[in-house]
Amino acid sequence: MAIDQTKKFKNLIDAFKDQASIIKATFSIHRRSSSIKVAVVRATTHGARNPPSDARLAALLAFGNDFRSSTAFLCIQALMERLHTTTSAAVAMKSLFTLHIIAIRGPFNLRGEVAFSPYYGGRNFLNLSAFRDVSDSEMSELSCWVRWYAGVVEHNRKLDRILYFRSRNPEIVEGKDRKIPELLEELDVLVGFSERISEVPESLHVQKSDLVYEVVRLVLESYRLVQREIWVRVNEIGNRVEWVSRDELTESVEILTRMENCRRKVSVLFVNRGKNEELWELVTCTKGKLVERRRRMTTTMTESTRLWNPFVEPGSLRPFGPAFLPLTVSTVG
């Protein structure tokens, strides 16, 4: 009973905080900024169980229809301020969820603010690796999900940059006009996203929270897109394996090995929904072709060295024979 009373009191305090934030935003002297801040607070309330409603998300995304340059900036700035000033895991999770929604479904100008604006500071612009909410056990558990999800949204930002430049160059959609190093650079980021989602917390919070459930569902939506992008690049590298340099072979194998290492954890997270057997078969097959190509190159280099240097023993790169003994200088009396 005491626990229930404590929970009710906490919920009351949280509701008061949300209302106070709305009142504060309402009295802002800047009308447009005020309406944006109110929409942000309403989408990111303290309730830990439910995600932002479709209506509240739609109200926020509607600011993307205003093509004045400052509107998108103010919207993302308000979200980032909400995210970085809260100590509530629920508010942080909803703020990240809203940023993610903007990144994959929002109007172009809002997406551009998330993906390209440099003024949020550094490579990790979310900077939530140390986030903790110790107000109760539920929020402490949710904090683990906040830290994980911040990394996912951060990596999604990198992906947006890759996909943006591809969309601006339709002639290279299939990757055939790009060099192998470019494909590997992009593949490295894409596989990094798979690695990041495979670090999902091992708690059971997802089973009891609609908010976490919707977060996982949204991450799956991004992951499906990532799978398609990985397919394009792995397929292209596999088709051009005979033109891959030795260093590129090594890098390619390392990246595909990292991808294979994600398979079990990702499959567990998404049960049967996230499985794409054709992709995994392509990754395994392409890796095998790259390894075989590297083996043949190594053999060819060994044989070439033997043919070029008559002082190399068969199967060895070490020179032998008297020609390589130390010279002794003698003095003739």
Side-chain angles (χ1 to χ4, degrees), residues 210-226:
D210 289 341
L211 172 57
V212 176
Y213 178 84
E214 288 300 316
V215 162
V216 172
R217 193 174 66 83
L218 195 61
V219 171
L220 175 58
E221 184 176 329
S222 292
Y223 179 59
R224 284 173 176 157
L225 176 60
V226 167

Side-chain angles (χ1 to χ4, degrees), residues 22-202:
I22 291 174
I23 293 173
K24 180 180 177 181
T26 302
F27 283 98
S28 173
I29 60 175
H30 301 289
R31 183 174 179 181
R32 184 153 46 105
S33 176
S34 172
S35 59
I36 290 173
K37 289 180 179 180
V38 168
V40 166
V41 173
R42 286 176 174 166
T44 59
T45 55
H46 283 74
R49 293 303 181 104
N50 299 315
S53 68
D54 291 342
R56 289 180 174 176
L57 288 173
L60 197 56
L61 293 176
F63 291 109
N65 298 326
D66 185 342
F67 288 96
R68 284 175 289 186
S69 59
S70 62
T71 300
F73 167 79
L74 291 172
C75 184
I76 303 305
Q77 184 186 52
L79 259 175
M80 295 299 296
E81 182 180 357
R82 179 76 163 163
L83 177 63
H84 284 146
T85 57
T86 188
T87 57
S88 165
V91 173
M93 197 71 162
K94 290 182 181 181
S95 298
L96 291 169
F97 181 79
T98 305
L99 280 169
H100 198 180
I101 286 284
I102 290 172
I104 65 177
R105 300 180 189 169
F108 179 80
N109 52 345
L110 285 178
R111 292 178 62 181
E113 285 295 322
V114 175
F116 293 101
S117 296
Y119 37 73
Y120 303 126
R123 193 176 75 180
N124 183 8
F125 83 130
L126 295 176
N127 195 27
L128 295 177
S129 59
F131 183 88
R132 296 284 190 284
D133 180 351
V134 295
S135 58
D136 58 41
S137 59
E138 182 182 6
M139 291 298 100
S140 180
E141 184 181 356
L142 188 60
S143 295
C144 298
W145 287 86
V146 169
R147 295 191 294 273
W148 168 76
Y149 194 31
V152 172
V153 175
E154 172 67 36
H155 220 99
N156 195 85
R157 181 175 180 243
K158 300 177 185 178
L159 295 181
D160 265 359
R161 295 180 177 182
I162 289 178
L163 302 182
Y164 172 82
F165 287 118
R166 278 194 68 217
S167 67
R168 300 283 290 181
N169 296 276
E171 69 277 6
I172 62 171
V173 166
E174 296 302 324
K176 295 181 180 179
D177 288 342
R178 283 175 294 174
K179 297 178 181 179
I180 294 295
E182 294 173 341
L183 291 170
L184 289 177
E185 182 180 3
E186 295 175 358
L187 188 60
D188 178 64
V189 177
L190 291 160
V191 171
F193 182 86
S194 300
E195 289 178 313
R196 185 58 189 170
I197 65 173
S198 72
E199 297 170 0
V200 61
E202 295 184 356

Side-chain angles (χ1 to χ4, degrees), residues 253-265:
V253 171
E254 289 176 351
I255 292 175
L256 295 184
T257 299
R258 287 165 47 205
M259 182 67 187
E260 288 180 324
N261 292 339
C262 299
R263 181 174 184 176
R264 184 193 65 82
K265 195 69 176 286

